[in-house]
Amino acid sequence: VGLVSLSSMGFMAARFTVLLYAVRMPATPAMVGLLAAMFALISALASVPTGRLMDRRGIKTPLLVSTGLLGVTVMLGAVWRELPALFAIAIAAGLCHNTMVLAFQRRAGDLGPPSERPAAFGLLGLGFSIANLTAPVAAGFAIDNTGFTITFLIFGLVPVLPFLFVWQDRLPWPPIAAHHATAGGKAPRTSGPLGLLRAPRLGRLYILCGLFESAWMGFGFMLPIYGSQLG
């Protein structure tokens, strides 16, 4: 939960800071919306291949790469903040965060028997909630008191602790074999990422999650723009 909080805090503070900086450039709302979408576009396309890679190779290397790259990506904003740089930060940070989420979810699912997974994922959600609460507030105060450059540097350092924790083998790693694929029954046949949606209940769940996330992300996108217009 602590590692999830720190890792997500770096990403969420970066997203908040990038979007707020774009609003102040000023970029048009349409451009800010496109920038916000970049935090999710590549990671959405890469989710299933990333999960399959973790099934084959384990989660340690993806965690090391994603936490390290996230820190470097966020720090990039301290030295280069033109619009192309903001898009690059958005794409890389989104991909790194999505990889971390998949790895931590996989680890939480491996910590106990299937009957304990709802509790494990509930605790994992607590980590995301802590980051959602603290990152925007901390980033906002940092921007007001130190400016955008220092804020990018500060939150670029946040993923360093998870990186060191993983690098020093402080997590009990799960087996590499993809033994959970058929734990609850026969896995659906797939032909690429969209093949997973052939499982009817999984498809419905996917649609519901998409609707929920659309509402959540839409609100998160409109709020800083409207707040800036209010002064």
Side-chain angles (χ1 to χ4, degrees):
V1 171
L3 292 177
V4 164
S5 296
L6 288 171
S7 301
S8 296
M9 190 180 300
F11 166 75
M12 293 173 183
R15 183 175 64 188
F16 175 84
T17 306
V18 164
L19 295 181
L20 192 59
Y21 185 81
V23 170
R24 292 189 183 183
M25 286 182 69
T28 65
M31 187 60 66
V32 178
L34 183 61
L35 184 60
M38 291 300 104
F39 281 97
L41 175 63
I42 303 302
S43 59
L45 297 175
S47 290
V48 173
T50 301
R52 289 173 174 166
L53 176 65
M54 291 178 188
D55 281 340
R56 296 194 303 268
R57 303 291 180 87
I59 66 173
K60 181 178 179 179
T61 299
L63 270 178
L64 279 175
V65 173
S66 58
T67 52
L69 183 58
L70 178 62
V72 173
T73 298
V74 177
M75 288 186 188
L76 177 65
V79 295
W80 185 31
R81 289 197 296 274
E82 297 176 5
L83 200 55
L86 297 183
F87 274 94
I89 292 171
I91 291 172
L95 183 59
C96 290
H97 182 250
N98 188 65
T99 301
M100 292 186 295
V101 169
L102 290 174
F104 285 128
Q105 286 177 337
R106 169 66 188 268
R107 189 67 200 98
D110 287 332
L111 286 175
S115 61
E116 295 180 3
R117 285 179 189 162
F121 285 118
L123 288 173
L124 200 65
L126 178 63
F128 295 119
S129 297
I130 293 172
N132 265 313
L133 172 67
T134 57
V137 176
F141 276 109
I143 292 169
D144 279 344
N145 291 281
T146 66
F148 284 95
T149 298
I150 301 300
T151 300
F152 276 112
L153 288 175
I154 291 173
F155 287 100
L157 292 173
V158 171
V160 170
L161 185 58
F163 173 85
L164 293 175
F165 202 94
V166 174
W167 183 49
Q168 293 177 356
D169 279 331
R170 299 294 298 275
L171 284 176
W173 304 107
I176 293 178
H179 59 278
H180 292 298
T182 57
K186 187 176 180 180
R189 289 183 174 273
T190 63
S191 56
L194 294 180
L196 290 171
L197 300 182
R198 292 177 180 173
R201 285 184 291 182
L202 182 60
R204 290 194 292 269
L205 182 62
Y206 184 84
I207 293 172
L208 289 174
C209 288
L211 292 172
F212 174 79
E213 287 295 324
S214 295
W216 170 250
M217 293 300 295
F219 175 77
F221 154 68
M222 290 185 289
L223 187 63
I225 293 179
Y226 186 62
S228 295
Q229 291 175 349
L230 291 176

